[in-house]
Structure formats: C-alpha cells, structure tokens
Amino acid sequence: MTDDKPRLSLYPMPNPAVSCPRVARLLLTGAAGGLGKELRPRLKAYCDVLRLSDISAMAPAAAGEEVVVAALQDAAAVHELLRGVQAVVHLGGVSVEGPFEPILQANIVGAYNLYEAARKHGVKRIVFASSNHVTGFYRQDEVIDARMPMRPDGHYGLSKAFGENLAQFYFDRYGIETVSLRIGSSFPVPVDRRMLATWMSYDDLERLVVAALGAPVVGHSVIYGMSDNSTTWWDNTPARHIGYRPQDSSEPFRAAAEARQPTIDSTDPVALYQGGGFVTKGPYG
Ligand code: NAI
Ligand code: 15L
C-alpha cells in the first residue's frame, strides 16, 4: 500500500517490515493496558488520528490523539466511541481467567456493543485480540491450526470464543472484516518454559496488528499471535494471506527460562495443556 500523505515529523516512523494503508481515524480499545500502552506510540505511524479508549485513566492526548474513557458494556458510550472511525484494534476487556460476571460484561456484552456500533457506523475492519485460551485444552504435544475445533480453557477462553464467533457472524451477515489474533504471551521476554512456545515480542505484535489492518482481503481470519519460536504448538499456514512474518524468536531467552524453571512435571496439567495455568483455575461458585 502506498502512503500518499506527507508524514508528520512528530509521528514515529512505521516499522519497516510491515505496510498498511493509512487509516484516517483508528480506534484502539484497552489503551491503558499492557499491550495498549505498547501499541499507542507505534500505531500513530499508521493513522492520522488515533482514538484511545479504556475504562481506566490514560495519559492525556498528544498531537494526533483523542482519549475517551468508556466502559465497553455501556452500549451508548461505545456507539459514540465508534463515530468517525474507519478501523478498530480491539484490545479492551478482562485479560485473565476469573469469575464469569466481569468477563460477561467486558468481553461478551462489550464485544457485542463494539460490533453493533461498527455496523451502525459502517466500520469495515476490526482487529480483535482473541487469545490462545480459545484452544487452551489442546495438549502441548499437539500442533494445531485455527481450523480445528475450539477447546476453551475457562470463562475467559469462552468469552474470546464468543468474540471470534461474533466476528464471523458480522462478516457473514454484514461484511465487516475481522482478523482474530489468538495471542500467545506478549510480554517483554518469555519467562518460563511454556512461553518459549507462546511468546510474541512487542515488535512482532506491531507487525501482526499492522498486517491484520492492512491485508487487502481477510473476511474473518484467525491467526495465532507468536514470534518465530523454535518450539511451537500452532501452525499459521492457513493464515499466510495476512502476510505476517515474525522476525523475533524466544530462542535467545531459552537458557534463562529453563534455569528459572529447571524441571517440569509432565503429569501436571499446567505442563500438559497449551493453556498452562488457566486450565486449573476455578470453579468460582
Ligand atoms: P490488560 O489487562 O493489560 O489490558 C486490558 C485493558 O482493557 C485494561 O486497560 C482494562 O482497563 C481494559 N478494560 C477491562 N475491562 C474493560 C471494560 N469493561 N471496558 C473498557 N475497558 C476495559 O491486557 P493486555 O495484556 O494489554 O491484553 C490486551 C488484549 O489482548 C486483551 O483483550 C487480552 O485478552 C488479549 N491478550 C493478551 C495477551 C498477552 O499476552 N498480553 C495474550 C492473549 C490475549
Ligand atoms: C492471555 O490471554 C492473557 O491475556 C495473558 O495475560 C497471558 O496469560 C497469556 O494469555 C498467556 O497465555 O500467557
């Protein structure tokens, strides 16, 4: 894609490994969270205006930014949030396993509100932060791809499965395109043996999000969010059309991760299942 607008010098330069059409107004939900804070300065290079939203407080708007505090379960607020927006990177919501009610409100009702508002405002592309926990009950000795049945590992994984189904429905019925990113573990470094397989660097996260925004035709596509790790449980071949090519790997961190976790008990569910610790959480009643 070409960028025919002059680049403002106060914007960071885009990552040279990725390309994306420039979006006039891009909405980033979950902007106060770990990944939101990381993507905030990076996504400014791909849009004229970056609208940032979260239920929590965010740093004040800088040039080229708009900051809107909103709860995803508030349909009217989410409707206003989508006004004037061309594309969305939807990170907002509960990001860990826990009791059902908060997950229901933020992740299920919230995602529904977002897609309804997108439909009403004619938004055509959403990048949805799904999770590896949609398939967390596959074993660590299985390599799976996104065409295999979902096996959510808890309330959180169920809510992300709902989000992916919602995305499929809104494409089939209304033509809104989504790339669902089944993110593994996106943190500064991989800190344990499981994360040697699931880790995605922040630079690769940017590459993935920008590829998902810029791929010309995606319908509803599902891709696992991981770096080019030597150990992997996920085959992204069916999503090669998105054009995501990770550049980083967990391998340089292997020795440190293995030293931190010298032994594993292969009968422990945490070491057995791809979802790791999430598979044993709960029940909450
Ligand atoms: P995070 O928990 O740091 O950020 C989530 C943000 O959503 C928070 O700032 C929170 O205030 C906001 N939020 C929560 N409930 C809300 C509500 N009802 N209304 C509006 N905003 C609300 O999570 P993180 O790590 O930044 O993850 C971002 C997204 O990526 C999440 O959707 C998470 O499920 C997903 N993800 C992240 C992974 C990772 O490794 N960091 C792995 C897999 C998925
Ligand atoms: C997720 O979905 C969570 O949002 C993140 O905090 C990590 O727990 C990650 O999965 C993981 O599986 O490591």
Side-chain angles (χ1 to χ4, degrees):
M1 284 296 167
T2 56
D3 175 1
D4 54 4
K5 299 197 178 209
R7 225 169 258 302
L8 302 177
S9 59
L10 60 150
Y11 283 8
M13 288 303 289
N15 189 320
V18 291
S19 68
C20 172
R22 198 175 182 90
V23 178
R25 180 177 280 101
L26 176 65
L27 170 64
L28 175 66
T29 71
L35 300 189
K37 280 192 255 191
E38 195 58 42
L39 285 176
R40 178 173 179 170
R42 296 168 182 256
L43 289 182
K44 285 172 78 172
Y46 305 97
C47 57
D48 294 336
V49 177
L50 183 61
R51 181 173 291 169
L52 302 146
S53 184
D54 203 287
I55 199 170
S56 299
M58 293 154 280
E65 292 182 339
E66 298 169 344
V67 168
V68 183
V69 174
L72 288 161
Q73 58 271 37
D74 180 342
V78 173
H79 182 79
E80 286 313 305
L81 193 56
L82 272 279
R83 191 181 293 282
V85 162
Q86 283 73 49
V88 182
V89 177
H90 181 43
L91 305 183
V94 175
S95 64
V96 291
E97 178 57 352
F100 186 61
E101 187 57 31
I103 290 176
L104 171 66
Q105 292 305 321
N107 295 15
I108 295 181
V109 176
Y112 176 76
N113 290 341
L114 185 94
Y115 274 84
E116 267 298 279
R119 176 181 71 76
K120 289 173 181 163
H121 287 297
V123 176
K124 290 293 177 204
R125 179 67 62 93
I126 296 176
V127 178
F128 169 53
S130 183
S131 171
N132 73 90
H133 295 285
V134 166
T135 49
F137 264 120
Y138 283 95
R139 290 165 51 106
Q140 295 187 9
D141 57 5
E142 294 174 282
V143 175
I144 61 172
D145 68 46
R147 294 170 302 197
M148 293 173 72
M150 296 174 175
R151 295 177 73 175
D153 59 23
H155 297 149
Y156 169 71
L158 283 163
S159 75
K160 295 294 187 181
F162 175 84
E164 290 190 14
N165 280 318
L166 190 72
Q168 186 67 52
F169 170 70
Y170 274 80
F171 174 66
D172 291 338
R173 180 66 181 81
Y174 303 114
I176 298 173
E177 292 198 301
T178 297
V179 181
S180 290
L181 314 180
R182 288 185 183 168
I183 301 171
S185 309
S186 194
F187 295 100
V189 296
V191 296
D192 58 26
R193 286 175 184 257
R194 174 178 171 274
M195 282 174 66
L196 294 173
T198 62
W199 185 65
M200 177 166 60
S201 71
Y202 291 146
D203 283 350
D204 280 343
L205 170 71
E206 177 188 347
R207 290 183 185 101
L208 177 57
V209 168
V210 172
L213 282 170
V217 182
V218 297
H220 174 226
S221 298
V222 182
I223 183 167
Y224 283 91
M226 58 184 171
S227 283
D228 186 18
N229 303 327
S230 302
T231 307
T232 179
W233 310 317
W234 305 322
D235 175 4
N236 267 337
T237 308
R240 282 184 72 83
H241 58 278
I242 292 165
Y244 169 57
R245 302 290 179 269
Q247 305 291 313
D248 297 322
S249 166
S250 62
E251 212 48 34
F253 305 97
R254 179 175 291 279
E258 289 180 351
R260 216 175 281 126
Q261 193 186 7
T263 57
I264 51 165
D265 171 3
S266 59
T267 63
D268 181 350
V270 170
L272 198 55
Y273 293 105
Q274 295 187 6
F278 282 42
V279 304
T280 57
K281 296 232 166 103
Y284 296 94

